[in-house]
């Protein structure tokens, strides 16, 4: 049995293929179903594929094939009319101070995604001051966030966490917290003015910030010099 959104999407794809012979784009599907995020379309397509209604054709962009239709759907059903999708706010990241007080980190848009503030670039190499500009935002699938908590996003600069699968230019999702378990990857504030992304290790009364790249050295600090500002919970990457 299909959900209402799966049914609506299948009807739209079938009608577009019948009319033009070309699968609709993800933007067109998102607009037709009045969704705020492409991640919702990805999940709907995966659900239809798992149920045997469609299949993705390999090595071809925008290539979907209808395998079967539900009994209550006919090939003459009209496609839903596209709805113009609202534009996300844009902004230029500027240099600034990144303080432990981070507010307004989650704003729900739909059941499929939330909009988080993108505070700027954080070093995954030699620590630098994080950038902050609350006018920049990023859409994140709700599945990445968990049931509760305050979240924000940062852009990675540097290569010191590449062995943990974190690359330069990645967008990382952070859950705000002041403590983290040993071995967690955290946003660490050093001496109240340097912010870095590293793996947290406690060694007696000292705090070690450990890179995931053999080219970098672990840095060890006294406990009063390092403040945890959040814990890494997710990552977004564009290809």
């Amino acid at each position: 049995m299909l959900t209402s959104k799966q049914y609506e999407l299948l009807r739209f794809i079938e009608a577009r293929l019948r009319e033009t012979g070309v699968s609709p784009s993800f933007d067109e599907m998102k607009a037709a179903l009045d969704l705020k995020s492409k991640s919702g379309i990805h999940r709907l397509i995966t659900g239809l594929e798992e149920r045997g209604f469609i299949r993705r054709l390999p090595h071809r962009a925008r290539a979907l094939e209808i395998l079967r239709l539900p009994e209550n759907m006919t090939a003459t059903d009209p496609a839903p009319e596209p709805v113009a999708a609202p534009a996300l706010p844009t902004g230029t990241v500027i240099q600034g101070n990144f303080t432990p007080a981070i507010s307004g980190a989650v704003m729900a848009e739909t059941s499929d995604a939330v909009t988080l503030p993108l505070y700027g670039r954080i070093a995954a190499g030699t620590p630098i001051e994080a950038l902050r500009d609350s006018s920049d935002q990023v859409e994140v699938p709700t599945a990445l966030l968990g049931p509760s908590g305050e979240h924000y996003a940062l852009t990675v600069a540097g290569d010191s966490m590449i062995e943990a699968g974190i690359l330069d230019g990645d967008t990382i999702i952070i859950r705000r917290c002041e403590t983290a378990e040993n071995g967690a990857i955290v946003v660490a504030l050093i001496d109240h003015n340097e912010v870095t992304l590293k793996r947290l290790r406690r060694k007696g009364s000292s705090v070690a910030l450990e890179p995931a790249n053999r080219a970098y050295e672990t840095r060890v600090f006294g406990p009063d010099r390092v403040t945890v500002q959040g814990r890494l919970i997710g990552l977004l990457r564009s290809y």
Side-chain angles (χ1 to χ4, degrees):
M1 182 176 179
L2 298 179
T3 66
S4 60
K5 284 297 184 183
Q6 286 173 340
Y7 183 93
E8 190 177 355
L9 179 61
L10 182 60
R11 185 161 57 94
F12 179 66
I13 294 171
E14 188 279 328
R16 182 60 64 87
L17 284 171
R18 175 165 37 85
E19 293 167 3
T20 68
V22 179
S23 302
S25 68
F26 274 69
D27 283 326
E28 290 169 334
M29 288 186 268
K30 179 173 67 112
L33 271 65
D34 196 20
L35 295 180
K36 301 294 192 299
S37 169
K38 291 182 186 178
S39 62
I41 296 296
H42 279 284
R43 281 192 287 274
L44 291 172
I45 287 178
T46 298
L48 290 171
E49 193 172 28
E50 289 173 348
R51 287 164 175 79
F53 288 96
I54 65 173
R55 76 181 180 101
R56 292 179 245 210
L57 302 178
H59 312 302
R60 291 173 58 188
R62 291 177 52 177
L64 297 173
E65 180 183 15
I66 301 291
L67 299 179
R68 65 187 179 95
L69 295 174
E71 293 180 0
N72 61 337
M73 183 189 297
T74 67
T76 59
D77 282 348
E81 291 295 325
V83 177
L88 287 174
T90 57
T92 303
V93 175
I94 57 174
Q95 181 100 22
N97 292 323
F98 188 94
T99 64
I102 302 168
S103 60
V106 179
M107 179 179 66
E109 292 285 358
T110 69
S111 59
D112 296 316
V114 297
T115 300
L116 300 184
L118 179 61
Y119 284 137
R121 295 177 69 83
I122 184 170
T126 303
I128 61 172
E129 283 189 359
L131 307 179
R132 181 174 182 176
D133 179 359
S134 57
S135 67
D136 253 5
Q137 297 176 319
V138 62
E139 277 197 346
V140 177
T142 54
L144 282 180
L145 302 183
S148 62
E150 190 175 346
H151 303 82
Y152 57 96
L154 294 165
T155 302
V156 173
D159 62 357
S160 79
M161 298 302 290
I162 58 175
E163 291 169 14
I166 303 169
L167 309 182
D168 182 64
D170 284 347
T171 299
I172 53 174
I173 311 305
I174 304 297
R175 177 178 291 127
R176 185 185 175 191
C177 61
E178 297 178 355
T179 61
E181 67 272 20
N182 215 31
I185 297 176
V186 301
V187 174
L189 177 68
I190 304 169
D191 295 332
H192 303 289
N193 62 12
E194 294 180 333
V195 183
T196 189
L197 183 73
K198 291 293 181 291
R199 195 176 297 278
L200 179 71
R201 301 286 187 190
R202 294 183 179 88
K203 300 182 178 181
S205 61
S206 299
V207 176
L209 298 179
E210 181 181 283
N213 184 335
R214 294 180 182 84
Y216 292 82
E217 294 183 353
T218 298
R219 302 177 69 192
V220 181
F221 302 90
D224 58 338
R225 295 184 61 192
V226 177
T227 303
V228 173
Q229 291 193 297
R231 182 182 184 277
L232 176 70
I233 63 164
L235 181 149
L236 300 175
R237 179 176 298 153
S238 297
Y239 290 93

